[in-house]
Amino acid sequence: MSWYKGEKAINLRKAWHLGAKHFYRLFALHFLKKLLLVLLLVGLNFLIVYLQAYPDPSSTWLTIAAVTIGLFLALAIATVGIFAAGYIIEGELPFMEAIRRAITLFREHVLVSLEISLILLLVQMFVVLLFILSTTWFLLPFVAFTVLGGFTGSKIIILIGLLLSLVLFFAAAALIGGLLNAYSISAWMYLFMKMHHEGIKSHVLNLLRIKG
């Protein structure tokens, strides 16, 4: 949010106190969001199992429709949760009022939210793909220690190499996951401020208007 206001440097102490000030409302919002997503996932799973139990040509189309609607609802829940957090922190709004305003903001920017989600998903997929392609580098300690253990006949050295490779892998995965999560939240918060104060037009609608 400080980026949107033109602040070059982020005051970590100010950010910490701001988050701690709204801890209980943010915790309740996060819990509610996760609960709704779990209920949606469970309900969608039962619906798909029910549809697949009856081999009918229409069941395939109903399954596709159910999954599509489920994905949209998951996006809506996640996006409204982010917007509500923004209203709680930035607007100092009460819990229910923040959710109500977040739903209104999402309804006004449905297509924009879909576009942003798609872009962030593509970025995350690209980074994960690069990480998967680079996983062979994490095997270098294991390979090196295995060769060394083969010459010395020590299984302990091979085990140490395996542990080093695992530690490097999980440390890199945690670091990249944390950076992706921070990037995603920062992007959404910046766009929330943009939507709230100025409004953002859908690129898809602009493109359709130009072509029309």
Side-chain angles (χ1 to χ4, degrees):
M1 292 182 182
S2 57
W3 294 351
Y4 179 83
K5 296 177 180 178
E7 298 180 17
K8 302 275 184 173
I10 299 175
N11 190 326
L12 295 179
R13 179 178 295 181
K14 180 182 176 182
W16 168 260
H17 286 296
L18 192 61
K21 178 182 178 182
H22 306 289
F23 171 77
Y24 292 106
R25 276 180 290 172
L26 291 175
F27 177 80
L29 179 65
H30 183 73
F31 178 80
L32 178 61
K33 182 175 71 173
K34 294 298 183 183
L35 177 62
L36 291 176
L37 287 174
V38 169
L39 291 176
L40 176 63
L41 179 62
V42 172
L44 185 61
N45 182 67
F46 276 112
L47 180 59
I48 292 174
V49 171
Y50 174 78
L51 291 174
Q52 294 301 315
Y54 297 93
D56 186 85
S58 61
S59 63
T60 302
W61 294 106
L62 289 174
T63 301
I64 294 174
V67 172
T68 302
I69 294 173
L71 289 174
F72 176 78
L73 290 176
L75 167 67
I77 292 170
T79 306
V80 168
I82 294 171
F83 291 167
Y87 278 119
I88 288 174
I89 296 174
E90 178 64 20
E92 301 280 347
L93 296 181
F95 184 76
M96 295 306 299
E97 178 63 16
I99 294 177
R100 188 188 68 78
R101 293 282 295 275
I103 293 173
T104 302
L105 188 65
F106 175 75
R107 288 170 57 187
E108 294 173 352
H109 297 85
V110 174
L111 283 179
V112 176
S113 299
L114 288 172
E115 292 170 7
I116 295 168
S117 298
L118 180 59
I119 292 172
L120 291 177
L121 178 62
L122 291 176
V123 170
Q124 292 173 353
M125 289 176 61
F126 178 72
V127 173
V128 170
L129 179 61
L130 288 180
F131 177 73
I132 293 173
L133 293 175
S134 64
T135 52
T136 52
W137 291 100
F138 300 116
L139 294 175
L140 289 179
F142 177 62
V143 173
F145 277 73
T146 299
V147 173
L148 183 60
F151 280 114
T152 59
S154 174
K155 294 182 179 180
I156 296 178
I157 294 179
I158 299 175
L159 181 61
I160 292 173
L162 177 61
L163 290 176
L164 281 175
S165 291
L166 289 174
V167 168
L168 287 174
F169 174 80
F170 286 113
L175 176 62
I176 292 174
L179 291 174
L180 276 176
N181 187 55
Y183 170 77
S184 179
I185 292 175
S186 299
W188 272 112
M189 283 293 103
Y190 177 82
L191 292 166
F192 159 75
M193 295 293 289
K194 194 85 171 173
M195 292 177 190
H196 175 55
H197 291 284
E198 303 174 23
I200 302 178
K201 294 182 179 179
S202 169
H203 292 289
V204 173
L205 287 181
N206 288 337
L207 185 62
L208 290 175
R209 289 195 187 103
I210 291 173
K211 288 186 175 181

